[in-house]
């Protein structure tokens, strides 16, 4: 991937989404000495298991894509994308699902965004994707393939993620669905 395109990679847990994003970042870096990559990480370490998971991801990423900088931004994703994007920098956003979780189900329930604020945040993100002067690779989960969840809050989250995924897929030039580590191209309109 030596061209500056916007790419959305989605799939289930452990489907190979992050590895594919890292591979694209590595190809971008290797294509020119002027190229660099920045990871915008949206996950937050709310418990010991998540802290360990984040540390493992950081260590693995450092081996697979040496030199890729990491910026942690759990909420202001559109602003972070605008701030770090330039023509020579590939941005990896990992992941949209955790970002949406941070918006809708924060540790402090009083800070939860209502539907209107979530829709506005998605629109702002899509505008930032469209305005990015360099390549952007976004990672997200496809969780709407299973049964309809029992709880109201979970159903609302699944619906909101489905809408966000549709918005981002529309905003990106390429969309890839990952399954069992294999990419399936859903959209390719550079």
């Amino acid at each position: 991937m030596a061209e500056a395109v916007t790419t959305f990679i989605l799939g289930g847990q452990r489907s190979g989404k992050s590895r594919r994003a890292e591979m694209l970042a590595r190809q971008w870096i290797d294509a020119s000495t002027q190229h660099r990559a920045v990871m915008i990480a949206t996950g937050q370490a709310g418990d010991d298991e998540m802290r360990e998971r984040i540390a493992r991801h950081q260590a693995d990423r450092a081996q697979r894509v040496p030199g890729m900088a990491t910026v942690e931004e759990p909420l202001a994703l559109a602003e972070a994308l605008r701030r770090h994007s330039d023509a020579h920098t590939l941005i990896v956003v990992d992941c949209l699902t955790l970002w949406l979780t941070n918006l809708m189900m924060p540790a402090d329930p009083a800070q939860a965004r209502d539907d209107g604020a979530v829709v506005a945040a998605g629109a702002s993100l899509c505008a930032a994707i469209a305005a990015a002067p360099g390549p952007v690779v976004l990672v997200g989960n496809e969780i709407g393939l299973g049964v309809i969840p029992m709880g109201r809050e979970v159903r609302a989250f699944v619906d909101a993620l489905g809408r966000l995924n549709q918005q981002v897929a529309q905003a990106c030039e390429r969309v890839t669905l990952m399954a069992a580590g294999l990419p399936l191209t859903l959209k390719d309109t550079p």
Side-chain angles (χ1 to χ4, degrees):
M1 176 182 178
E3 54 191 304
V5 298
T6 54
T7 303
F8 182 30
I9 302 170
L10 71 161
Q13 261 184 261
R14 295 285 174 234
S15 62
K17 302 177 305 291
S18 295
R19 284 218 180 182
R20 177 129 185 112
E22 291 169 357
M23 180 199 71
L24 295 174
R26 182 64 186 253
Q27 288 174 354
W28 175 259
I29 291 170
D30 290 348
S32 171
T33 58
Q34 294 181 326
H35 288 180
R36 64 187 203 101
V38 173
M39 162 77 69
I40 301 176
T42 62
Q44 294 179 294
D47 57 43
D48 289 340
E49 187 275 335
M50 190 62 170
R51 274 187 280 287
E52 291 171 13
R53 182 180 289 253
I54 289 171
R56 188 173 54 252
H57 279 273
Q58 289 170 339
D60 291 347
R61 189 168 51 246
Q63 286 185 338
R64 288 191 290 265
V65 192
M68 183 161 66
T70 299
V71 174
E72 294 183 14
E73 183 46 67
L75 296 170
L77 186 52
E79 293 82 0
L81 182 54
R82 287 184 188 100
R83 188 170 47 254
H84 295 284
S85 184
D86 68 51
H88 298 290
T89 303
L90 179 139
I91 304 290
V92 174
V93 174
D94 198 352
C95 88
L96 295 181
T97 310
L98 290 175
W99 174 66
L100 185 64
T101 301
N102 297 337
L103 294 176
M104 294 181 70
M105 297 176 269
D108 179 359
Q111 295 179 347
R113 307 296 205 295
D114 64 18
D115 289 345
V118 169
V119 170
S124 180
L125 174 62
C126 288
I129 293 167
V136 179
V137 178
L138 302 109
V139 175
N141 290 75
E142 175 52 72
I143 64 171
L145 297 172
V147 298
I148 297 172
M150 294 291 287
R152 182 181 64 80
E153 292 86 6
V154 179
R155 282 192 303 273
F157 181 80
V158 171
D159 290 347
L161 183 60
R163 285 189 296 272
L164 177 64
N165 284 348
Q166 289 182 49
Q167 282 180 289
V168 172
Q170 195 68 27
C172 288
E173 296 161 294
R174 291 189 179 142
V175 179
T176 302
L177 177 66
M178 295 297 297
L182 300 173
L184 175 63
T185 301
L186 301 180
K187 177 181 176 183
D188 191 2
T189 55

